[in-house]
């Protein structure tokens, strides 16, 4: 069973704080990891991809990957109310030409 | 502008009718995907295609059919055999995946309501 687990939330943070979103996955051989942002009623938007252990930064976003622990996270620095959305983690599994999505974590950033 | 278009944005049908959802991309991507999203749930893969004239079933293909006659187009038909067709349908595309999937980019979605 290929599984991607996320805490459904909501995760509530004040404006300006760091939001930390977490994702675990079941296949130790997974190679590709993606974070999508989905606003209510809209389609998912790709915000980060990561393929190697360690950190990858893009503006206010940092993705962190630890393959040994089968764990990928997304940090959002200086959170803004406009960051309020559901964040979906997606993982590729070895031998499967498709992604498996988690159910998403809802983030609420209060002014 | 490169992107993925889906039409219509909203679709209403009576139970027992087949309905076809359109998906077109001009990103020159080889792979295309159809997902379904229900309230509070993740994305579930219906069908995917890595190349023209070839497609594979995803996790929930029953009651759906697709065709891939052109690289740019991947229409999805929701048949009357689909027991719970009301959902948000999302089309995505990516570069062709040989071993591991590349980033997938999504269209705006079609919200289907069947009564």
């Amino acid at each position: 069973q290929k599984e991607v687990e996320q805490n459904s939330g909501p995760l509530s943070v004040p404006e300006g704080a760091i939001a930390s979103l977490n994702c675990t996955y079941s296949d130790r051989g997974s190679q590709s990891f993606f974070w999508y942002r989905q606003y209510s009623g809209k389609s998912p938007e790709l915000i980060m991809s990561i393929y190697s252990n360690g950190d990858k930064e893009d503006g206010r976003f940092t993705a962190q990957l630890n393959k040994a622990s089968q764990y990928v996270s997304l940090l959002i620095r200086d959170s803004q109310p406009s960051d309020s959305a559901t964040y979906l983690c997606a993982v590729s599994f070895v031998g499967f030409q498709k992604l498996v999505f988690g159910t998403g974590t809802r983030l609420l950033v209060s002014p | 502008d490169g992107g993925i278009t889906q039409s219509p944005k909203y679709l209403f049908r009576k139970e027992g009718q087949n309905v076809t959802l359109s998906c077109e991309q001009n990103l020159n991507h080889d792979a295309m995907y159809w997902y379904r999203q229900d309230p509070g749930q993740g994305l579930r893969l219906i069908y995917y295609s890595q190349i023209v004239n070839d497609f594979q079933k995803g996790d929930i293909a029953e009651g759906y059919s697709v065709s891939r006659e052109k690289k740019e187009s991947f229409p999805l038909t929701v048949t009357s055999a689909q027991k719970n067709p009301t959902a948000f349908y999302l089309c995505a595309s990516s570069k062709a995946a040989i071993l591991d999937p590349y980033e997938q980019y999504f269209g705006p979605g079609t919200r289907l309501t069947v009564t």
Side-chain angles (χ1 to χ4, degrees):
Chain A
Q1 184 81 1
K2 309 300 183 186
E3 293 184 344
V4 177
E5 301 283 345
Q6 294 182 258
N7 188 317
S8 61
L11 173 65
S12 296
V13 300
E15 184 175 356
I18 296 175
S20 178
L21 305 160
N22 304 317
C23 173
T24 60
Y25 56 95
S26 61
D27 188 347
R28 188 175 287 274
S30 293
Q31 297 292 325
S32 307
F33 307 85
F34 307 94
W35 283 100
Y36 288 83
R37 177 177 62 199
Q38 185 174 25
Y39 292 113
S40 181
K42 303 295 186 183
S43 62
E45 172 192 8
L46 178 68
I47 54 173
M48 289 287 285
S49 58
I50 186 166
Y51 305 95
S52 304
N53 275 330
D55 294 359
K56 179 181 177 183
E57 187 174 318
D58 184 0
R60 295 187 296 112
F61 299 101
T62 299
Q64 299 177 317
L65 176 61
N66 184 327
K67 290 186 178 181
S69 299
Q70 295 172 232
Y71 175 97
V72 57
S73 64
L74 180 70
L75 301 179
I76 306 175
R77 290 183 300 280
D78 189 23
S79 295
Q80 301 296 309
S82 59
D83 294 325
S84 297
T86 297
Y87 289 80
L88 303 174
C89 173
V91 178
S92 71
F93 289 88
V94 176
F96 290 82
Q97 294 176 328
K98 54 186 179 179
L99 297 179
V100 177
F101 285 81
T103 54
T105 298
R106 186 170 168 224
L107 173 66
L108 296 176
V109 182
S110 55
Chain B
D1 286 335
I4 304 172
T5 57
Q6 291 185 244
S7 61
K9 187 174 182 180
Y10 297 96
L11 190 54
F12 298 88
R13 281 293 183 269
K14 294 290 188 185
E15 199 172 305
Q17 293 179 332
N18 291 356
V19 59
T20 297
L21 281 57
S22 168
C23 177
E24 304 275 336
Q25 56 96 3
N26 61 4
L27 299 168
N28 200 32
H29 285 165
D30 288 299
M32 297 186 74
Y33 309 81
W34 273 105
Y35 293 90
R36 167 184 174 140
Q37 187 175 39
D38 295 281
Q41 297 193 29
L43 303 178
R44 292 186 289 169
L45 183 64
I46 304 173
Y47 268 97
Y48 63 106
S49 169
Q50 297 286 341
I51 196 169
V52 174
N53 292 323
D54 188 44
F55 47 83
Q56 288 76 41
K57 292 181 179 180
D59 302 316
I60 55 164
E62 185 176 350
Y64 300 97
S65 66
V66 293
S67 63
R68 187 84 188 279
E69 297 176 0
K70 298 188 301 182
K71 184 176 181 178
E72 301 79 17
S73 179
F74 191 40
L76 173 74
T77 296
V78 184
T79 75
S80 57
Q82 168 51 232
K83 289 181 173 46
N84 297 295
T86 295
F88 188 36
Y89 289 87
L90 291 157
C91 178
S93 72
S94 73
K95 293 192 290 184
I98 306 301
L99 292 176
D100 281 317
Y102 290 98
E103 295 104 340
Q104 293 182 15
Y105 296 90
F106 286 85
T110 292
R111 201 166 294 276
L112 173 65
T113 302
V114 176
T115 58

